[in-house]
Amino acid sequence: MIDPGVEDVLRTTGPQVLGALVRRHGQFDACEDAVQEALLAAATQWPVDGVPESPRAWLLTVAGRRLTDAWRSESARRTREVAVVALDPREPGPVSGEDDTLTLLFLCCHPSLTASSQVALTLRAVGGLTTAEIAAAYLVPEATMAQRISRAKQKVRAAGGRFVEPPPDERADRLDAVLQVLYLVFTEGYTSSAGASLLRTDLTAEAIRLARMLHGLLPDDGEVAGLLALMLLTDAHRPARTDAAGGLVPLAEQDRSLWDRDQLDEGVALVEDALARFPAGPYLLQAAIAAVHAEAPTAQDTDWPQVVALYGVLDHVAPGPMVTLNRAVAVAMVDGPRAGLDVLAPLDDDDRTAGHHRLAAVRAHLLELAGDVPAARAAYREAARLTTSLPEQRYLDARAARLPPA
Protein backbone atom coordinates (compact mmCIF):
# COMPACT_ATOMS: atom_id res chain seq x y z
CA MET A 1 0.00 0.00 0.00
CA ILE A 2 1.29 3.46 -0.91
CA ASP A 3 2.38 5.72 1.95
CA PRO A 4 -0.44 8.17 2.82
CA GLY A 5 1.95 11.13 2.75
CA VAL A 6 3.15 10.21 -0.72
CA GLU A 7 -0.43 9.67 -1.86
CA ASP A 8 -1.39 13.16 -0.65
CA VAL A 9 1.46 14.73 -2.61
CA LEU A 10 0.59 12.78 -5.75
CA ARG A 11 -3.09 13.67 -5.55
CA THR A 12 -2.33 17.36 -5.15
CA THR A 13 0.41 17.67 -7.77
CA GLY A 14 -0.96 15.23 -10.37
CA PRO A 15 -3.61 17.61 -11.78
CA GLN A 16 -1.11 20.49 -11.74
CA VAL A 17 1.38 18.46 -13.77
CA LEU A 18 -1.31 17.37 -16.20
CA GLY A 19 -2.39 20.98 -16.64
CA ALA A 20 1.19 22.09 -17.32
CA LEU A 21 1.72 19.33 -19.90
CA VAL A 22 -1.54 20.03 -21.72
CA ARG A 23 -0.79 23.75 -21.76
CA ARG A 24 2.63 23.03 -23.29
CA HIS A 25 1.83 20.19 -25.70
CA GLY A 26 -1.93 19.89 -26.17
CA GLN A 27 -3.25 16.35 -26.80
CA PHE A 28 -5.08 15.84 -23.52
CA ASP A 29 -5.39 12.05 -23.80
CA ALA A 30 -1.67 11.49 -24.49
CA CYS A 31 -0.68 13.85 -21.66
CA GLU A 32 -3.06 12.12 -19.23
CA ASP A 33 -1.51 8.74 -20.06
CA ALA A 34 1.99 10.16 -19.54
CA VAL A 35 1.06 11.66 -16.18
CA GLN A 36 -0.46 8.37 -15.02
CA GLU A 37 2.83 6.62 -15.87
CA ALA A 38 4.77 9.27 -13.96
CA LEU A 39 2.47 8.91 -10.94
CA LEU A 40 2.97 5.14 -11.01
CA ALA A 41 6.74 5.61 -11.13
CA ALA A 42 6.59 8.02 -8.20
CA ALA A 43 4.40 5.67 -6.17
CA THR A 44 7.06 3.00 -6.67
CA GLN A 45 10.23 5.07 -6.21
CA TRP A 46 9.40 7.74 -3.66
CA PRO A 47 8.67 5.40 -0.73
CA VAL A 48 12.18 3.98 -1.27
CA ASP A 49 14.19 7.03 -2.36
CA GLY A 50 12.19 9.70 -0.55
CA VAL A 51 9.95 12.45 -1.91
CA PRO A 52 12.04 14.82 -4.08
CA GLU A 53 12.54 18.43 -3.11
CA SER A 54 10.23 19.54 -5.91
CA PRO A 55 7.65 16.77 -6.52
CA ARG A 56 5.97 18.78 -9.27
CA ALA A 57 9.21 19.26 -11.20
CA TRP A 58 10.07 15.55 -10.82
CA LEU A 59 6.67 14.47 -12.10
CA LEU A 60 6.75 16.99 -14.94
CA THR A 61 10.17 15.77 -16.05
CA VAL A 62 9.21 12.09 -15.97
CA ALA A 63 5.84 12.68 -17.62
CA GLY A 64 7.47 14.84 -20.28
CA ARG A 65 9.94 12.08 -21.08
CA ARG A 66 7.15 9.49 -21.23
CA LEU A 67 5.23 11.75 -23.61
CA THR A 68 8.26 12.28 -25.83
CA ASP A 69 9.01 8.55 -25.89
CA ALA A 70 5.41 7.78 -26.81
CA TRP A 71 5.43 10.29 -29.64
CA ARG A 72 8.74 9.00 -30.94
CA SER A 73 7.46 5.44 -30.89
CA GLU A 74 4.30 6.41 -32.72
CA SER A 75 6.24 8.46 -35.25
CA ALA A 76 8.69 5.64 -35.86
CA ARG A 77 5.91 3.17 -36.32
CA ARG A 78 4.36 5.36 -38.98
CA THR A 79 7.76 6.40 -40.35
CA ARG A 80 7.05 10.07 -39.86
CA GLU A 81 10.59 11.38 -39.57
CA VAL A 82 9.47 14.97 -39.81
CA ALA A 83 7.34 14.61 -36.72
CA VAL A 84 10.28 13.15 -34.81
CA VAL A 85 12.49 16.08 -35.76
CA ALA A 86 9.79 18.46 -34.57
CA LEU A 87 9.84 16.96 -31.08
CA ASP A 88 11.70 18.86 -28.42
CA PRO A 89 13.63 16.29 -26.34
CA ARG A 90 15.20 18.83 -24.03
CA GLU A 91 14.57 18.78 -20.32
CA PRO A 92 11.58 20.89 -19.27
CA GLY A 93 12.42 24.46 -18.31
CA PRO A 94 11.79 25.98 -14.89
CA VAL A 95 8.49 24.91 -13.39
CA SER A 96 5.98 27.74 -13.30
CA GLY A 97 4.32 28.45 -10.00
CA GLU A 98 1.00 28.89 -11.79
CA ASP A 99 -1.66 26.33 -10.90
CA ASP A 100 -3.45 25.22 -14.07
CA THR A 101 -5.92 23.03 -12.24
CA LEU A 102 -8.98 25.20 -12.86
CA THR A 103 -8.15 25.63 -16.53
CA LEU A 104 -7.81 21.86 -16.73
CA LEU A 105 -11.16 21.54 -14.99
CA PHE A 106 -12.87 23.70 -17.61
CA LEU A 107 -11.19 21.72 -20.40
CA CYS A 108 -12.61 18.50 -18.96
CA CYS A 109 -16.03 20.14 -19.12
CA HIS A 110 -15.68 20.72 -22.86
CA PRO A 111 -19.05 21.43 -24.55
CA SER A 112 -18.56 18.54 -26.98
CA LEU A 113 -19.03 16.12 -24.07
CA THR A 114 -22.25 15.02 -22.43
CA ALA A 115 -22.75 16.18 -18.86
CA SER A 116 -22.05 12.71 -17.48
CA SER A 117 -18.82 12.43 -19.49
CA GLN A 118 -17.71 15.89 -18.34
CA VAL A 119 -18.12 14.90 -14.72
CA ALA A 120 -16.49 11.49 -15.15
CA LEU A 121 -13.45 12.86 -16.98
CA THR A 122 -12.92 15.65 -14.48
CA LEU A 123 -13.24 13.33 -11.51
CA ARG A 124 -10.53 11.19 -13.07
CA ALA A 125 -8.13 13.91 -14.25
CA VAL A 126 -8.67 16.66 -11.66
CA GLY A 127 -10.24 14.95 -8.66
CA GLY A 128 -7.91 11.97 -8.78
CA LEU A 129 -10.67 9.43 -8.14
CA THR A 130 -10.18 5.93 -9.44
CA THR A 131 -12.46 4.59 -12.13
CA ALA A 132 -14.05 2.30 -9.53
CA GLU A 133 -14.87 5.24 -7.24
CA ILE A 134 -16.43 7.20 -10.09
CA ALA A 135 -18.47 4.16 -11.15
CA ALA A 136 -19.74 3.80 -7.58
CA ALA A 137 -20.78 7.47 -7.50
CA TYR A 138 -22.76 6.95 -10.71
CA LEU A 139 -24.08 3.50 -9.74
CA VAL A 140 -22.76 1.93 -12.96
CA PRO A 141 -20.31 -0.96 -13.57
CA GLU A 142 -16.62 -0.06 -13.52
CA ALA A 143 -16.12 -1.29 -17.11
CA THR A 144 -18.88 1.03 -18.28
CA MET A 145 -17.25 4.01 -16.58
CA ALA A 146 -13.82 3.12 -18.01
CA GLN A 147 -15.28 3.17 -21.50
CA ARG A 148 -17.02 6.48 -20.83
CA ILE A 149 -13.79 8.12 -19.66
CA SER A 150 -11.83 6.76 -22.63
CA ARG A 151 -14.43 8.02 -25.10
CA ALA A 152 -14.48 11.42 -23.38
CA LYS A 153 -10.72 11.84 -23.81
CA GLN A 154 -10.95 10.87 -27.46
CA LYS A 155 -13.81 13.29 -28.03
CA VAL A 156 -11.93 16.22 -26.47
CA ARG A 157 -9.01 15.47 -28.78
CA ALA A 158 -11.25 15.18 -31.84
CA ALA A 159 -13.00 18.44 -30.97
CA GLY A 160 -9.67 20.26 -30.76
CA GLY A 161 -10.18 21.43 -27.21
CA ARG A 162 -7.67 24.18 -26.41
CA PHE A 163 -6.07 24.64 -23.01
CA VAL A 164 -7.29 28.16 -22.35
CA GLU A 165 -9.93 29.58 -20.04
CA PRO A 166 -13.22 29.61 -21.95
CA PRO A 167 -14.79 32.97 -22.83
CA PRO A 168 -17.47 34.21 -20.41
CA ASP A 169 -20.43 32.98 -22.48
CA GLU A 170 -18.99 29.48 -22.90
CA ARG A 171 -17.75 29.41 -19.31
CA ALA A 172 -21.32 29.84 -18.11
CA ASP A 173 -22.37 26.80 -20.13
CA ARG A 174 -19.68 24.68 -18.49
CA LEU A 175 -20.13 25.92 -14.95
CA ASP A 176 -22.97 23.57 -14.00
CA ALA A 177 -20.81 20.53 -14.82
CA VAL A 178 -17.85 22.05 -12.97
CA LEU A 179 -19.93 22.55 -9.82
CA GLN A 180 -21.30 19.03 -10.05
CA VAL A 181 -17.77 17.66 -10.35
CA LEU A 182 -16.58 19.46 -7.24
CA TYR A 183 -19.65 18.40 -5.29
CA LEU A 184 -19.19 14.74 -6.25
CA VAL A 185 -15.52 14.86 -5.29
CA PHE A 186 -16.49 16.33 -1.93
CA THR A 187 -19.30 13.86 -1.24
CA GLU A 188 -17.12 10.89 -2.17
CA GLY A 189 -14.61 12.12 0.40
CA TYR A 190 -17.16 12.96 3.08
CA THR A 191 -18.99 9.65 2.81
CA SER A 192 -16.89 7.12 0.90
CA SER A 193 -19.10 4.98 -1.29
CA ALA A 194 -17.14 1.82 -0.47
CA GLY A 195 -14.39 0.47 1.76
CA ALA A 196 -13.43 0.44 5.41
CA SER A 197 -13.08 4.21 5.92
CA LEU A 198 -16.02 6.59 6.15
CA LEU A 199 -13.98 9.73 5.43
CA ARG A 200 -11.35 10.60 2.84
CA THR A 201 -10.04 13.98 3.92
CA ASP A 202 -7.75 14.20 0.90
CA LEU A 203 -10.78 14.43 -1.37
CA THR A 204 -12.76 16.84 0.81
CA ALA A 205 -9.74 19.11 1.17
CA GLU A 206 -9.11 19.10 -2.59
CA ALA A 207 -12.76 19.83 -3.35
CA ILE A 208 -12.75 22.77 -0.92
CA ARG A 209 -9.45 24.03 -2.37
CA LEU A 210 -10.85 23.97 -5.89
CA ALA A 211 -14.13 25.56 -4.77
CA ARG A 212 -12.16 28.39 -3.15
CA MET A 213 -10.23 28.90 -6.38
CA LEU A 214 -13.44 28.91 -8.40
CA HIS A 215 -15.01 31.41 -5.99
CA GLY A 216 -11.97 33.63 -6.44
CA LEU A 217 -12.43 33.41 -10.21
CA LEU A 218 -16.21 34.00 -10.06
CA PRO A 219 -16.86 36.03 -6.88
CA ASP A 220 -20.23 37.27 -8.16
CA ASP A 221 -21.79 33.87 -8.80
CA GLY A 222 -24.25 32.82 -6.11
CA GLU A 223 -24.06 29.10 -6.88
CA VAL A 224 -20.25 29.08 -6.64
CA ALA A 225 -20.49 30.83 -3.27
CA GLY A 226 -23.26 28.44 -2.25
CA LEU A 227 -21.24 25.36 -3.12
CA LEU A 228 -18.21 26.58 -1.18
CA ALA A 229 -20.44 27.42 1.80
CA LEU A 230 -22.13 24.01 1.62
CA MET A 231 -18.76 22.25 1.66
CA LEU A 232 -17.47 24.30 4.58
CA LEU A 233 -20.62 23.88 6.66
CA THR A 234 -20.70 20.14 6.00
CA ASP A 235 -16.98 19.55 6.55
CA ALA A 236 -17.18 21.44 9.85
CA HIS A 237 -19.03 18.42 11.30
CA ARG A 238 -16.16 16.07 10.51
CA PRO A 239 -14.47 16.06 13.98
CA ALA A 240 -17.74 14.89 15.56
CA ARG A 241 -18.91 12.58 12.79
CA THR A 242 -17.07 9.45 13.95
CA ASP A 243 -16.43 8.02 17.40
CA ALA A 244 -13.12 6.81 18.82
CA ALA A 245 -13.52 3.48 17.04
CA GLY A 246 -14.26 5.12 13.68
CA GLY A 247 -17.98 4.42 13.87
CA LEU A 248 -20.51 6.78 12.30
CA VAL A 249 -22.24 9.28 14.61
CA PRO A 250 -25.47 10.75 13.15
CA LEU A 251 -26.05 14.50 13.14
CA ALA A 252 -28.58 14.44 15.99
CA GLU A 253 -26.12 12.64 18.29
CA GLN A 254 -22.96 14.61 17.51
CA ASP A 255 -21.07 16.61 20.11
CA ARG A 256 -21.48 20.06 18.56
CA SER A 257 -18.67 21.51 20.63
CA LEU A 258 -16.34 19.53 18.35
CA TRP A 259 -17.60 21.21 15.20
CA ASP A 260 -15.10 23.49 13.48
CA ARG A 261 -16.40 26.93 14.45
CA ASP A 262 -14.18 28.82 12.00
CA GLN A 263 -15.56 26.83 9.07
CA LEU A 264 -19.12 27.27 10.33
CA ASP A 265 -18.69 31.03 10.67
CA GLU A 266 -17.16 31.31 7.20
CA GLY A 267 -19.90 29.17 5.66
CA VAL A 268 -22.75 31.09 7.35
CA ALA A 269 -21.22 34.41 6.26
CA LEU A 270 -21.01 33.18 2.65
CA VAL A 271 -24.66 32.10 2.75
CA GLU A 272 -25.89 35.37 4.22
CA ASP A 273 -23.95 37.43 1.68
CA ALA A 274 -25.02 35.30 -1.30
CA LEU A 275 -28.71 35.23 -0.32
CA ALA A 276 -28.66 39.03 -0.07
CA ARG A 277 -27.17 39.44 -3.55
CA PHE A 278 -28.16 36.51 -5.76
CA PRO A 279 -31.16 34.34 -6.68
CA ALA A 280 -31.25 31.12 -4.66
CA GLY A 281 -30.08 28.16 -6.73
CA PRO A 282 -29.74 24.51 -5.65
CA TYR A 283 -26.32 24.76 -3.98
CA LEU A 284 -27.13 28.01 -2.20
CA LEU A 285 -30.40 26.54 -0.91
CA GLN A 286 -28.61 23.45 0.39
CA ALA A 287 -26.05 25.71 2.05
CA ALA A 288 -28.88 27.71 3.66
CA ILE A 289 -30.29 24.47 5.10
CA ALA A 290 -26.85 23.53 6.42
CA ALA A 291 -26.58 26.99 7.99
CA VAL A 292 -29.84 26.45 9.89
CA HIS A 293 -28.37 23.26 11.38
CA ALA A 294 -25.08 25.05 12.11
CA GLU A 295 -26.78 27.82 14.06
CA ALA A 296 -28.73 25.43 16.35
CA PRO A 297 -26.87 24.88 19.64
CA THR A 298 -28.47 21.43 19.96
CA ALA A 299 -30.37 19.10 17.64
CA GLN A 300 -33.56 19.84 19.60
CA ASP A 301 -33.14 23.57 18.91
CA THR A 302 -33.11 23.12 15.13
CA ASP A 303 -35.62 25.36 13.34
CA TRP A 304 -37.32 22.45 11.54
CA PRO A 305 -40.17 24.51 10.04
CA GLN A 306 -37.56 26.69 8.34
CA VAL A 307 -35.74 23.57 7.10
CA VAL A 308 -39.01 22.19 5.67
CA ALA A 309 -39.69 25.50 3.93
CA LEU A 310 -36.22 25.57 2.40
CA TYR A 311 -36.56 21.97 1.21
CA GLY A 312 -39.88 22.92 -0.35
CA VAL A 313 -38.16 25.64 -2.37
CA LEU A 314 -35.29 23.29 -3.25
CA ASP A 315 -37.74 20.63 -4.39
CA HIS A 316 -39.28 23.21 -6.73
CA VAL A 317 -35.96 24.53 -8.06
CA ALA A 318 -34.10 21.20 -8.38
CA PRO A 319 -36.35 18.22 -7.69
CA GLY A 320 -34.63 14.88 -7.20
CA PRO A 321 -34.69 11.74 -5.08
CA MET A 322 -31.99 12.90 -2.65
CA VAL A 323 -33.94 16.11 -2.02
CA THR A 324 -37.03 14.03 -1.33
CA LEU A 325 -35.15 11.78 1.09
CA ASN A 326 -33.91 14.73 3.12
CA ARG A 327 -37.24 16.56 2.95
CA ALA A 328 -38.97 13.45 4.34
CA VAL A 329 -36.83 13.61 7.48
CA ALA A 330 -37.54 17.31 7.95
CA VAL A 331 -41.27 16.81 7.42
CA ALA A 332 -41.19 14.00 10.00
CA MET A 333 -39.65 16.35 12.55
CA VAL A 334 -42.49 18.87 12.04
CA ASP A 335 -45.56 16.77 11.18
CA GLY A 336 -44.61 13.36 12.56
CA PRO A 337 -42.91 10.25 11.16
CA ARG A 338 -45.97 8.99 9.25
CA ALA A 339 -46.04 12.22 7.27
CA GLY A 340 -42.37 11.71 6.48
CA LEU A 341 -43.05 8.16 5.32
CA ASP A 342 -45.74 9.49 2.99
CA VAL A 343 -43.16 11.78 1.40
CA LEU A 344 -40.87 8.76 0.85
CA ALA A 345 -43.50 6.54 -0.76
CA PRO A 346 -43.09 7.71 -4.39
CA LEU A 347 -39.37 6.85 -4.32
CA ASP A 348 -40.20 3.13 -4.32
CA ASP A 349 -41.11 3.55 -8.00
CA ASP A 350 -38.10 5.71 -8.88
CA ASP A 351 -35.37 3.69 -10.61
CA ARG A 352 -32.72 5.98 -9.13
CA THR A 353 -33.57 5.03 -5.55
CA ALA A 354 -35.50 1.75 -5.63
CA GLY A 355 -33.13 -0.75 -4.03
CA HIS A 356 -30.73 2.00 -2.84
CA HIS A 357 -29.49 1.76 0.75
CA ARG A 358 -30.21 5.41 1.55
CA LEU A 359 -33.93 4.98 0.90
CA ALA A 360 -34.02 1.91 3.15
CA ALA A 361 -32.00 3.72 5.86
CA VAL A 362 -34.26 6.79 5.93
CA ARG A 363 -37.36 4.59 5.95
CA ALA A 364 -35.90 2.59 8.84
CA HIS A 365 -35.27 5.77 10.84
CA LEU A 366 -38.82 7.04 10.29
CA LEU A 367 -40.34 3.65 11.09
CA GLU A 368 -38.35 3.60 14.33
CA LEU A 369 -39.68 7.06 15.22
CA ALA A 370 -43.19 5.80 14.42
CA GLY A 371 -42.74 2.87 16.84
CA ASP A 372 -42.97 0.15 14.18
CA VAL A 373 -40.06 -1.89 15.53
CA PRO A 374 -40.30 -5.00 13.31
CA ALA A 375 -40.51 -2.96 10.10
CA ALA A 376 -37.71 -0.63 11.27
CA ARG A 377 -35.44 -3.58 12.08
CA ALA A 378 -36.08 -5.13 8.66
CA ALA A 379 -35.39 -1.83 6.89
CA TYR A 380 -32.15 -1.23 8.81
CA ARG A 381 -30.95 -4.71 7.88
CA GLU A 382 -31.92 -4.16 4.26
CA ALA A 383 -29.97 -0.89 4.20
CA ALA A 384 -26.94 -2.59 5.77
CA ARG A 385 -27.08 -5.29 3.12
CA LEU A 386 -27.28 -2.79 0.26
CA THR A 387 -24.49 -0.39 1.27
CA THR A 388 -20.88 -0.95 0.18
CA SER A 389 -19.47 1.27 2.94
CA LEU A 390 -18.28 -0.79 5.90
CA PRO A 391 -18.76 2.02 8.50
CA GLU A 392 -22.30 2.60 7.26
CA GLN A 393 -22.95 -1.15 7.31
CA ARG A 394 -21.75 -1.43 10.90
CA TYR A 395 -23.84 1.57 11.94
CA LEU A 396 -27.01 0.24 10.32
CA ASP A 397 -26.53 -3.24 11.78
CA ALA A 398 -26.03 -1.67 15.21
CA ARG A 399 -29.23 0.36 14.86
CA ALA A 400 -31.14 -2.82 14.04
CA ALA A 401 -29.58 -4.71 16.96
CA ARG A 402 -30.35 -2.05 19.56
CA LEU A 403 -34.08 -1.96 18.81
CA PRO A 404 -36.14 -3.57 21.59
CA PRO A 405 -37.59 -7.03 21.00
CA ALA A 406 -40.89 -7.00 19.17
Side-chain angles (χ1 to χ4, degrees), residues 221-259:
D221 190 291
E223 280 295 85
V224 174
L227 179 60
L228 175 58
L230 177 60
M231 290 181 181
L232 291 169
L233 291 167
T234 304
D235 192 57
H237 301 168
R238 177 162 42 88
R241 194 157 174 262
T242 55
D243 58 25
L248 189 153
V249 179
L251 180 66
E253 300 174 16
Q254 289 176 11
D255 179 354
R256 299 190 175 206
S257 68
L258 299 177
W259 287 1

Side-chain angles (χ1 to χ4, degrees), residues 171 175 212-226 270 273-274 277-279 284:
R171 183 173 62 189
L175 188 57
R212 284 192 188 281
M213 292 177 66
L214 191 60
H215 182 52
L217 179 67
L218 302 172
D220 293 323
D221 190 291
E223 280 295 85
V224 174
L270 280 167
D273 177 70
R277 297 196 294 137
F278 310 114
L284 184 51

Side-chain angles (χ1 to χ4, degrees), residues 103-140:
T103 305
L104 175 63
L105 197 157
F106 278 117
L107 177 64
C108 290
C109 296
H110 194 275
S112 68
L113 301 177
T114 63
S116 60
S117 293
Q118 290 173 341
V119 173
L121 183 59
T122 309
L123 286 171
R124 181 75 181 92
V126 183
L129 274 69
T130 66
T131 303
E133 289 168 339
I134 304 170
Y138 270 90
L139 305 178
V140 301

Side-chain angles (χ1 to χ4, degrees), residues 98 161 379:
E98 182 178 1

